[in-house]
Amino acid sequence: MARYKMIVQLDPGEGREDAFLDFYPQTHVRDILTVPGVLSAQFLRRVHAISDAGPHEWAYMVIYEVECDDPKELQDAMVAGMKSGAIRADFDLLKAERRTVFYEALTDVLSGTTAGTVGGADVG
């Protein structure tokens, strides 16, 4: 099985941020963690954008680490869990636009001590 990062970008609906923050990290993300193959999750809030993100700048993101043979099958299992009620989701708390993408790692995780130099300056 391969490991992937599943990135979910989303925004709360207008006037729903408090309810969104009460529900999504505490309930929905934890329910997703019960799906076989979902190993970990971290819920994040955007605090600064270095460049224009284009037509949509997402305020929140969840990074899941997953392990599976086929990301589409894992996504289908999550959708089935939401349809059955095993994974609680409240789409009324969200803006209609959201984005979910699976990424595969092309390198090991690098740190300042393994990165080397940038522009002749020692970064490690």
Side-chain angles (χ1 to χ4, degrees), residues 1-81:
M1 280 198 256
R3 285 198 178 200
Y4 302 95
K5 300 291 186 191
M6 183 179 81
I7 309 297
V8 179
Q9 296 171 299
L10 63 168
D11 286 320
E14 198 69 36
R16 304 299 312 260
E17 189 162 15
D18 289 342
F20 168 82
L21 290 173
D22 285 342
F23 180 79
Y24 269 84
Q26 300 304 319
T27 303
H28 181 72
V29 171
R30 292 176 190 273
D31 286 353
I32 293 286
L33 287 166
T34 67
V35 175
V38 180
L39 306 175
S40 64
Q42 186 174 24
F43 193 80
L44 306 162
R45 179 191 335 238
R46 179 177 46 91
V47 295
H48 176 70
I50 295 172
S51 62
D52 181 10
H56 195 97
E57 291 192 18
W58 307 98
Y60 293 92
M61 176 171 65
V62 186
I63 301 173
Y64 295 93
E65 184 169 357
V66 302
E67 186 175 68
C68 60
D69 290 323
D70 180 359
K72 175 75 169 90
E73 288 179 10
L74 183 62
Q75 179 185 8
D76 290 346
M78 287 184 242
V79 169

